[in-house]
Amino acid sequence: MPFETPSLPVLIKRTQSDLAGDSLRQSDAQVLARTLGGAAYGLYGYLGWIAEQILPDKADESTLERIATLRLNQPRKPAQAATGNVGFSASAGAVLDVDTLLQSNDGRTYKVAVARTTVNGTNSTTITALDAGTQGNADAGLVLTPVQPILGITSSSFVVLEPGLTGGVARESLESLRSRVIRSYRLIPHGGCAQDYETWALECPGVSRAWCRGNFLGPGTVGVFIMRDDDPQPIPNEEQLAEVQAYIEPLRPVTADVRVLAPMQVLVSYRLRITPDTSAVRAAIENQLRDLHNREAGLGETLLLSHIAEAISSATGETDHTLVAPTSNVTAENNQLLTFGGCEWLS
């Protein structure tokens, strides 16, 4: 039976009844009762706050981070800095030092990660964002300018090369950390079961979803599929797959042949008529369909037509709709991920 915290008026009346005897009716008992009642009420509130810190579902940020440090191999995942290559022109023999600062027009700052002794003409080097996080990611072609002139560097600008500056990841959100901590209570490690591989993959910075498929490439093989939903490109590249592979290698059972793979995205496009046909209702329907894909369209999972209709009907402002496509349940292979591919609005 849960403990009920007495209300402040109840505590005041209790104290009054304890203090207000016949000899104290004309004294300061009323003031004293209110003071003691207020103090007791604050203590009850503090005890209630302490009770919420015991388990991770309601714990505050600082307490949740402490629990994560004790329970998880990888506590709160830190932010990662974006990296990439830049090209520049220079005369032969110039020295580009590590930590040389470069800046873009919008104020983002980067530093040289690999020193170079230049050759005459075009050169390249690797740079890293000064501040970790997604703000350091940039497309190829971004122009950077040295904060201070560099002797022997004839070019006043450094140009970001393909595929751009990538890998910048924000610090893990509080709710993502809470989800991983709660998962550690629900799923007990079993020395290499499917959930263990998913847990190990989710401990890597940037990985937001993971799935494990046993015997994926034959007996003894394990396929681990990952997604990076918070990145501009959620499908991981070869370098990001290699990072997760390297993290799992020392943790896996010695007999397992583990392959970290990227899911194959299958875009699901919708054709429908809606009533009323307004921009607000369209936006609400798209949000509901994206949420449906996040909740129910996991790797290799079927998206039910009845759930699609339910998601559209639950959009704010929608009163009626006709779904022209798809016309049946949308299925996926065991390495495919059904992704929201947009809506075509019919008149």
Side-chain angles (χ1 to χ4, degrees):
M1 181 176 179
F3 177 78
E4 295 184 4
T5 303
S7 66
L8 180 57
V10 169
L11 291 170
I12 292 173
K13 286 191 174 297
R14 285 182 185 176
T15 309
Q16 286 175 338
S17 64
D18 291 339
L19 292 174
D22 291 338
S23 59
L24 297 177
R25 290 187 184 278
Q26 305 303 320
S27 69
D28 294 331
Q30 294 286 347
V31 176
L32 184 58
R34 290 182 178 276
T35 302
L36 293 177
Y41 186 75
L43 293 175
Y44 276 112
Y46 182 61
L47 289 173
W49 177 83
I50 291 175
E52 289 190 340
Q53 306 311 302
I54 296 173
L55 296 175
D57 59 333
K58 293 186 178 180
D60 289 349
E61 182 172 5
S62 59
T63 306
L64 184 64
E65 288 181 341
R66 290 179 61 191
I67 297 173
T69 301
L70 295 173
R71 290 195 62 89
L72 304 179
N73 291 329
Q74 172 62 59
R76 193 168 191 176
K77 294 183 276 190
Q80 303 289 310
T83 62
N85 295 324
V86 292
F88 61 97
S89 299
S91 57
V95 176
L96 181 64
D97 293 324
V98 171
D99 292 338
T100 299
L101 296 180
L102 308 174
Q103 195 170 52
S104 64
N105 290 334
D106 57 10
R108 288 179 288 178
T109 305
Y110 302 83
K111 61 182 180 181
V112 173
V114 179
R116 286 283 186 270
T117 299
T118 63
V119 298
N120 188 41
T122 302
N123 296 261
S124 65
T125 189
T126 302
I127 64 170
T128 303
L130 193 63
D131 297 319
T134 57
Q135 70 274 10
N137 295 327
D139 295 330
L142 177 69
V143 176
L144 304 174
T145 305
V147 173
Q148 295 181 338
I150 306 170
L151 183 64
I153 306 295
T154 57
S155 173
S156 61
S157 61
F158 291 65
V159 179
V160 176
L161 305 177
E162 291 287 351
L165 302 175
T166 60
V169 178
R171 187 188 188 199
E172 185 177 17
S173 69
L174 185 62
E175 290 313 308
S176 173
L177 177 63
R178 193 185 307 277
S179 175
R180 288 202 298 124
V181 173
I182 293 173
R183 177 188 173 90
S184 73
Y185 282 83
R186 292 174 176 169
L187 301 176
I188 307 301
H190 288 90
C193 67
Q195 291 84 359
D196 289 345
Y197 285 100
E198 294 169 2
T199 297
W200 295 333
L202 291 170
E203 290 172 353
C204 298
V207 176
S208 57
R209 288 186 287 169
W211 303 268
C212 177
R213 297 293 182 265
N215 296 327
F216 182 72
L217 298 175
T221 63
V222 178
V224 180
F225 294 84
I226 62 170
M227 283 287 287
R228 299 171 61 95
D229 296 294
D230 297 327
D231 287 3
Q233 174 49 260
I235 298 295
N237 56 35
E238 292 298 326
E239 182 180 351
Q240 292 163 342
L241 293 174
E243 290 175 358
V244 179
Q245 180 86 42
Y247 183 82
I248 292 178
E249 276 299 316
L251 304 174
R252 65 172 175 81
V254 68
T255 56
D257 181 9
V258 181
R259 313 289 178 85
V260 179
L261 306 167
M264 181 181 295
Q265 273 191 315
V266 177
L267 297 179
V268 180
S269 299
Y270 297 88
R271 301 180 69 234
L272 66 163
R273 298 183 184 88
I274 59 172
T275 304
D277 189 358
T278 66
S279 58
V281 174
R282 288 185 179 187
I285 290 174
E286 288 182 348
N287 287 336
Q288 288 294 332
L289 289 174
R290 286 193 180 92
D291 180 65
L292 177 67
H293 278 268
N294 290 336
R295 288 185 289 107
E296 300 187 14
L299 188 73
E301 294 183 353
T302 297
L303 198 58
L304 299 178
L305 186 65
S306 60
H307 290 196
I308 294 173
E310 179 185 16
I312 297 172
S313 296
S314 63
T316 302
E318 187 269 357
T319 58
D320 190 23
H321 75 271
T322 301
L323 184 63
V324 177
T327 57
S328 61
N329 296 340
V330 185
T331 60
E333 300 294 333
N334 62 354
N335 67 332
Q336 293 180 337
L337 192 66
L338 300 178
T339 306
F340 176 71
C343 294
E344 180 183 347
W345 309 103
L346 304 177
S347 58

